[in-house]
Amino acid sequence: MTMRTHYCGELRSSDIDSTVTVCGWVDTRRVHSEHLAFIDLRDHTGIIQCVVDEKLDLRSEFVVSITGTVRSRFEGKSNEKLSTGEVELGDCSVELLSSAEPPPFPMHERSDVDENIRLRHRYLDLRKTRMQKNLRIRAKVNSAIRKAMEKQGFVEIETPMLIASTPEGARDFVVPSRLHPTNFYALPQSPQIFKQLCMVGGIDRYYQIARCLRDEDLRADRQFEFMQLDMEASFVTQEDVLSFVSEAIKDSVESITGERPGKIPTMTWHDAMERFGSDKPDTRFGMELIELSDIFQDTEANVFKVDCVKGILYPKGAEILGRNAIDSLTEKCQNWGAKGLAWFRVGENSSLEGALTKFMSDKEIEQLASSMGADAGDMVFVIADQRRTVNHILGLLRLELARPPVGEGGLNFLWITEFPLFESVTDSGEPIPAHHPFTMPHPEDLGMLDTASGAEYLSIRSQAYDLVLNGWELGSGSVRIHKKDIQAKIFNMLGIQDEEAEQKFGFLLDAFKYGAPPHAGFAFGIDRLVALLAGEENIREVIAFPKTQSGSDPLTNAPTPLDSTHLEELGLRLSPDTT
Ligand code: ASP
């Protein structure tokens, strides 16, 4: 038996005449007369109206326990907005458990409160329905993930936080070592190396809801610390990994929405770039990129005498966009790297109207309109440039024009496969890995490892895959290299000398000498998944104690300076420029 018999939000007409005790915070108090007050008492389940006829000095956010009898509200007085709106507590006796100072911001939902103040008093912010709901969604998702992984034979293993650097490509957070002055631990950017060691160790199927830390600039979908479902399995293919993760995703979604998503579709990276101009396409809406290069093969129009011409169709755009809006879109495209933005209003009979039509032949105009499937009132936007630039700009323009808000348009999960092995090439000709250096090349492209050079590197595909939801990258994974010779070749290509490889990943390479099973894995961000399930734009809203945009914590004041004794103990001296 706890201090309460019921939660505030669970009382209903079926409880009428029962004597109950509820506990919580005074949400509002309306004084009727000197001896009669209505108190709305709140806990995480909701609010119950209590009619108190003693003279009490109770204010908002006081903590009380109220014992009373459930009764029907007077006719016409029920409140449809409350789950408990048909009843109230009468004959109340109130026990004051804690008084409270007036809160520093209004406790009403969604009142516009400065972020710093919200986070400074996060414990008050947590009392709000929005945060209560979001954190409980999060807990359910975690629980569904655990169950899904366990049902598929995965074992939860905890990996250490104080480690040597992990190669995820971000900056490490480091921790100075007291016992080994001048030496530092890195906090894990991911459990990557440990999970691979687990595979060598015969664990077979590993998972962990893992905290990962990356010292990168914060954004709406990025915090320094974040949680991932991290998994790895031995003797499996890419298809197996996609299926394990899909199961966890579907179970999580079902636990929140009650509906189980269907099979998650797959698209190759190449198709995603060509069709949506992005490796994380938001497939909640169409407006795909349409190839137009052939139309302009023999064009007289100089702007179209380039490597690639593609367009997007903005339905009814000509009716929506005025000249100023088009100018501002053009400016945006230029800021994204375009030379310009060609646009055409579609008139009756698919006629096109735009500044460039006078340089185009009738045939080009006609073919452009028909390839775009243009109807009267639509707007056609065209970019002509290098293929990569065209895709990139149109991908961004598409989002700018028509991306639905978070929480609308359903949940569009998508697997992106066959990522390139390398994302770019340095000036000195060395390729930079797109994922991490343990990613297995695509079997059909293995031969290219020996022959490629320069830009050719970029066409080598890998067995790396991402999971995307509504245009957010939820996670990444890959089939790993488990053979020493391929790994050595990749390190070689990346310009990682034997000595450096030995120093950075020697322990993994050593482990591989003793019998590494073929293995593959994945990790997806739980903060992002929960934010999208909760309809939140910013992952901060689904994290109990997040950092601000500038990476500080107004609640605890972290990061804080270290006192001199502590510094000395760690063998650290601060450089005068930073103090
Ligand atoms: N360690 C990778 C990451 O955190 C995921 C993986 O390859 O399994 O993105």
Side-chain angles (χ1 to χ4, degrees):
M1 183 75 176
T2 65
M3 290 169 79
R4 56 163 71 89
T5 59
H6 288 76
Y7 282 101
C8 298
E10 63 186 15
L11 295 172
R12 299 284 182 277
S13 300
S14 52
D15 297 304
I16 285 175
D17 291 337
S18 329
T19 298
V20 300
T21 301
V22 287
C23 299
W25 287 263
V26 174
D27 193 67
T28 48
R29 187 190 61 132
R30 295 180 302 281
V31 179
H32 229 249
S33 65
E34 203 185 330
H35 289 292
L36 185 66
F38 288 93
I39 292 174
D40 280 350
L41 191 68
R42 181 188 72 232
D43 63 21
H44 75 84
T45 61
I47 283 177
I48 178 76
Q49 171 170 293
C50 309
V51 185
V52 177
D53 51 12
E54 14 173 355
K55 189 165 182 262
L56 286 169
D57 181 23
L58 286 184
R59 275 174 281 134
S60 283
E61 303 309 312
F62 275 31
V63 183
V64 294
S65 155
I66 299 182
T67 302
T69 308
V70 183
R71 65 190 191 196
S72 183
R73 289 200 190 191
F74 285 121
E75 234 184 280
K77 293 281 179 200
S78 32
N79 180 349
E80 282 172 11
K81 286 193 197 131
L82 292 183
S83 58
T84 59
E86 295 197 338
V87 295
E88 62 184 16
L89 281 196
D91 303 325
C92 291
S93 66
V94 180
E95 186 187 349
L96 177 65
L97 302 173
S98 267
S99 59
E101 290 186 13
F105 50 79
M107 294 294 290
H108 300 120
E109 288 308 314
R110 306 260 172 183
S111 54
D112 208 7
V113 183
D114 176 73
E115 189 209 9
N116 268 295
I117 302 182
R118 273 182 75 194
L119 294 185
R120 162 88 185 81
H121 301 278
R122 186 59 154 180
Y123 41 85
L124 291 180
D125 202 37
L126 292 183
R127 283 185 202 161
K128 295 186 175 177
T129 316
R130 174 191 192 176
M131 287 305 301
Q132 290 285 335
K133 175 184 130 255
N134 289 354
L135 293 180
R136 283 163 211 277
I137 290 182
R138 185 180 184 110
K140 271 193 178 171
V141 166
N142 276 333
S143 162
I145 289 174
R146 283 213 161 83
K147 286 189 199 136
M149 296 314 283
E150 274 155 25
K151 134 185 124 183
Q152 298 181 100
F154 285 78
V155 185
E156 182 171 8
I157 294 198
E158 291 142 7
T159 52
M161 294 297 281
L162 297 173
I163 62 172
S165 185
T166 8
E168 295 292 351
R171 207 176 286 114
D172 284 326
F173 277 101
V174 292
V175 179
S177 158
R178 178 179 60 83
L179 293 179
H180 305 273
T182 74
N183 288 295
F184 294 81
Y185 299 98
L187 297 177
Q189 290 185 34
S190 78
Q192 184 64 35
I193 293 188
F194 291 98
K195 65 176 174 175
Q196 293 194 242
L197 291 174
C198 284
M199 296 303 104
V200 182
I203 298 296
D204 198 61
R205 292 185 184 187
Y206 142 96
Y207 90 96
Q208 181 178 197
I209 294 193
R211 184 173 299 273
C212 303
L213 296 108
R214 298 184 191 177
D215 189 358
E216 296 176 299
D217 289 342
L218 275 60
R219 296 188 314 218
D221 63 353
R222 194 187 276 163
Q223 284 268 317
F224 287 152
E225 356 181 356
F226 58 97
M227 302 304 288
Q228 300 205 80
L229 163 71
D230 192 48
M231 57 80 66
E232 194 77 17
S234 295
F235 307 109
V236 296
T237 62
Q238 168 173 316
E239 285 316 305
D240 297 320
V241 174
L242 302 199
S243 151
F244 294 138
V245 177
S246 296
E247 191 66 11
I249 289 282
K250 288 180 191 175
D251 285 2
S252 316
V253 173
E254 193 176 6
S255 76
I256 305 302
T257 65
E259 274 172 45
R260 192 168 183 78
K263 186 173 165 46
I264 300 178
T266 300
M267 191 184 290
T268 63
W269 178 88
H270 177 267
D271 285 356
M273 297 309 288
E274 290 299 327
R275 290 174 54 189
F276 296 94
S278 168
D279 58 4
K280 43 180 183 193
D282 189 338
T283 47
R284 284 175 299 166
F285 65 107
M287 285 178 63
E288 293 192 22
L289 282 50
I290 294 175
E291 184 67 67
L292 304 167
S293 305
D294 279 354
I295 300 177
F296 295 104
Q297 228 159 27
D298 305 312
T299 189
E300 295 294 314
N302 283 338
V303 277
F304 296 138
K305 290 181 182 168
V306 286
D307 175 42
C308 168
V309 184
K310 287 172 89 166
I312 53 175
L313 180 88
Y314 186 34
K316 298 285 159 244
E319 291 166 13
I320 302 167
L321 299 173
R323 191 57 211 239
N324 284 348
I326 298 176
D327 287 348
S328 117
L329 288 171
T330 307
E331 204 179 310
K332 281 200 171 124
C333 289
Q334 283 164 340
N335 291 339
W336 295 328
K339 294 194 190 74
L341 173 65
W343 52 268
F344 304 89
R345 291 180 200 282
V346 186
E348 288 309 320
N349 303 322
S350 302
S351 61
L352 295 187
E353 179 201 312
L356 286 175
T357 47
K358 59 175 177 285
F359 304 109
M360 294 159 62
S361 68
D362 288 350
K363 188 167 164 222
E364 284 169 356
I365 295 174
E366 196 185 303
Q367 285 187 339
L368 172 59
S370 75
S371 301
M372 296 303 301
D375 276 328
D378 294 344
M379 186 88 166
V380 171
F381 290 106
V382 175
I383 295 278
D385 212 308
Q386 298 292 324
R387 182 162 291 276
R388 264 192 168 211
T389 312
V390 169
N391 286 343
H392 173 66
I393 307 286
L394 285 178
L396 292 174
L397 183 61
R398 172 182 174 270
L399 294 178
E400 179 73 26
L401 287 169
R403 186 172 201 177
V406 165
E408 282 179 23
L411 295 170
N412 279 35
F413 289 97
L414 179 65
W415 286 108
I416 305 290
T417 57
E418 297 186 15
F419 264 75
L421 191 59
F422 305 113
E423 69 181 9
S424 53
V425 182
T426 63
D427 291 342
S428 53
E430 271 147 15
I432 298 176
H435 195 45
H436 44 56
F438 313 117
T439 301
M440 184 74 105
H442 194 285
E444 288 165 19
D445 295 354
L446 268 175
M448 288 169 78
L449 295 183
D450 297 318
T451 57
S453 68
E456 283 162 10
Y457 281 129
L458 302 182
S459 52
I460 305 179
R461 291 166 299 166
S462 72
Q463 294 185 62
Y465 31 85
D466 271 8
L467 180 60
V468 174
L469 172 56
N470 295 359
W472 288 30
E473 179 198 326
L474 273 196
S476 313
S478 57
V479 175
R480 323 297 182 188
I481 299 172
H482 68 282
K483 292 200 172 123
K484 269 191 75 179
D485 55 335
I486 303 180
Q487 188 66 73
K489 216 177 263 181
I490 296 285
F491 280 153
N492 201 352
M493 294 170 81
L494 299 178
I496 301 178
Q497 306 305 329
D498 289 355
E499 213 173 297
E500 190 188 346
E502 180 55 36
Q503 186 214 339
K504 281 191 174 157
F505 322 115
F507 54 102
L508 180 67
L509 301 178
D510 264 357
F512 280 8
K513 290 182 196 153
Y514 298 103
H519 57 287
F522 195 76
F524 70 78
I526 293 174
D527 310 272
R528 290 184 183 175
L529 174 62
V530 174
L532 290 173
L533 287 174
E536 293 287 1
E537 311 255 358
N538 197 309
I539 60 170
R540 253 192 330 252
E541 306 300 345
V542 299
I543 298 174
F545 298 103
K547 304 279 184 290
T548 61
Q549 199 72 18
S550 63
S552 56
D553 175 8
L555 177 63
T556 62
N557 280 332
T560 48
L562 276 192
D563 60 41
S564 50
T565 331
H566 208 154
L567 283 172
E568 211 165 295
E569 213 172 38
L570 294 168
L572 295 177
R573 193 168 303 131
L574 300 182
S575 111
D577 303 348
T578 55
T579 51

